[in-house]
Amino acid sequence: MTKEMQAHSFVIFGLGRFGTSLVKNLATYDVELLVVDKDMNKVNEIIDTVDHAVTGDASDEDVLDRIGIGDFDVAVFAMGEDFEAAIMATMMAKEKGTARIVVKALDKRQAKILYRIGADQVILPEVEMGAKVAKSLVNPNILDFLDQANGISITEMHPDTKWVNQTIAEANIRQEAHINILAMIRDDHVTIPVKPTTILQANDVLIVIEQDDTTPK
């Protein structure tokens, strides 16, 4: 898969804080999404959000073969706490022809090793939040917005299904979702500012400012 191609199928291994945030953000896009974790309870908690969810170990070759990891556009290994498993999973996914391999690391030393063994992208969650990563995976050419200080970030999202065909005021987005809409993209046209009377459509892209829930409290 080249950088210009849009990704449509994802498998995410590891449902820790970062992996779960990434999954929930990817689920807002029109993509195929499979998640895998060793903890059955974590799998059951996310199963209604994704297309498929299974219990398994990313470093187990039988698990990778069973899900057909080589058929996915993107494989994300978000088990940063288990570096040995991340290394094994990365190497096997590379051998099996996965188009793009993204791996979570805890520090720059780990990142360097992961790049050497075949990772296409290494994520350091301290500097990259789940929503920003999800956006860049679905479309690597999409505009990247800078994370802001104090846990505030600017990002893109489609309207929640329950907001569609309602005005922004009727949906009460600011209070319900704790976000502020800065701009809207509809049919390649950018609207700034967005009026509260604007009726939201499913294909709208909202540029929003939101609180990063991964910020340490």
Side-chain angles (χ1 to χ4, degrees):
M1 183 183 69
T2 66
K3 290 183 177 180
E4 290 73 25
M5 292 178 62
Q6 193 171 46
H8 297 285
S9 60
F10 299 81
V11 55
I12 313 298
F13 291 85
L15 291 173
R17 193 172 185 180
F18 170 74
T20 300
S21 174
L22 179 58
V23 168
K24 289 180 178 179
N25 280 281
L26 279 170
T28 67
Y29 295 89
D30 183 20
V31 297
E32 178 188 354
L33 189 55
L34 166 66
V35 298
V36 184
D37 194 277
K38 293 187 291 185
D39 188 332
M40 183 180 296
N41 291 328
K42 290 182 177 180
V43 170
N44 289 334
E45 287 174 3
I46 204 74
I47 195 167
D48 292 335
T49 306
V50 299
D51 298 296
H52 307 283
V54 300
T55 304
D57 186 340
S59 62
D60 186 336
E61 188 170 8
D62 289 339
V63 172
L64 301 190
D65 287 337
R66 190 168 73 245
I67 67 170
I69 194 167
D71 298 328
F72 286 89
D73 293 332
V74 182
V76 180
F77 299 108
M79 329 85 62
E81 297 76 12
D82 191 346
F83 187 51
E84 183 178 348
I87 289 176
M88 292 297 297
T90 300
M91 294 174 64
M92 288 188 291
K94 194 73 175 180
E95 291 174 355
K96 296 177 186 299
T98 307
R100 188 176 178 197
I101 302 169
V102 181
V103 193
K104 173 189 172 184
L106 299 183
D107 54 46
K108 291 182 178 179
R109 179 190 65 84
Q110 289 187 359
K112 187 175 182 180
I113 293 171
L114 290 165
Y115 276 124
R116 283 181 174 175
I117 64 172
D120 297 296
Q121 180 181 353
V122 177
I123 298 164
L124 297 170
E126 306 84 48
V127 296
E128 294 187 74
M129 58 178 290
K132 179 180 177 182
V133 177
K135 176 180 60 182
S136 69
L137 294 181
V138 174
N139 187 346
N141 297 321
I142 202 163
L143 179 63
D144 280 329
F145 289 95
L146 297 176
D147 286 341
Q148 306 298 304
N150 300 321
I152 299 298
S153 63
I154 299 175
T155 188
E156 296 181 3
M157 64 180 293
H158 288 292
D160 189 287
T161 53
K162 65 184 178 183
W163 303 344
V164 174
N165 296 325
Q166 292 191 67
T167 67
I168 291 173
E170 289 170 341
N172 198 21
I173 294 171
R174 184 173 182 179
Q175 295 299 320
E176 294 292 333
H178 307 293
I179 61 175
N180 290 297
I181 299 175
L182 302 181
M184 183 180 74
I185 304 172
R186 178 181 292 171
D187 299 327
D188 295 325
H189 176 72
V190 180
T191 300
I192 304 176
V194 185
K195 296 180 180 179
T197 54
T198 299
I199 298 175
L200 294 171
Q201 299 178 8
N203 291 327
D204 291 340
V205 177
L206 306 178
I207 312 301
V208 303
I209 186 167
E210 61 181 346
Q211 184 74 33
D212 179 5
D213 61 8
T214 64
T215 302
K217 295 180 172 62

